[in-house]
Amino acid sequence: MPYSGLREFLQLLESEGELARVHVPVELNQELGAVCVKSLKNYGPALLFEHPGESSIPMLTNLLATRRRYGLAMDSKPEDCQRRWND
């Protein structure tokens, strides 16, 4: 495994511009989902909501939503992260 844990992987994503921290409180009912969908449609970064709803527990979304981030997680090239039907 290329990372000692999730925190190390998040540090890499942040250094690569693949993680956005959302500092402002975001309502869980529709608002958080809308932000996630908009980010997905625009191939945006993974999102770390620091104050989702009334909670003090952060919420991470869209972590492996692109081949690039999936490749970083698997320590491989993005083009190698696709299913090959003939293998």
Side-chain angles (χ1 to χ4, degrees):
M1 177 176 254
Y3 307 100
S4 62
L6 181 59
R7 288 174 199 233
E8 185 179 342
F9 181 56
L10 292 179
Q11 287 173 345
L12 173 69
L13 289 181
E14 198 159 31
S15 71
E16 294 284 326
E18 289 287 341
L19 176 69
R21 292 178 180 267
V22 181
H23 303 288
V24 297
V26 178
E27 290 299 320
L28 293 175
N29 184 13
Q30 298 178 350
E31 188 177 18
L32 189 136
V35 171
C36 292
V37 168
K38 185 171 183 175
S39 180
L40 278 172
K41 286 183 178 179
N42 292 304
Y43 300 96
L47 302 170
L48 181 61
F49 293 93
E50 295 180 345
H51 303 284
E54 301 286 322
S55 179
S56 61
I57 300 171
M59 180 184 289
L60 180 63
T61 65
N62 302 352
L63 182 61
L64 302 175
T66 65
R67 282 194 186 155
R68 182 165 194 271
R69 287 196 297 272
Y70 193 84
L72 288 169
M74 296 293 132
D75 198 27
S76 64
K77 298 177 198 163
E79 58 270 13
D80 292 338
C81 294
Q82 59 187 341
R83 186 173 181 186
R84 293 191 177 117
W85 292 98
N86 297 326
D87 286 353

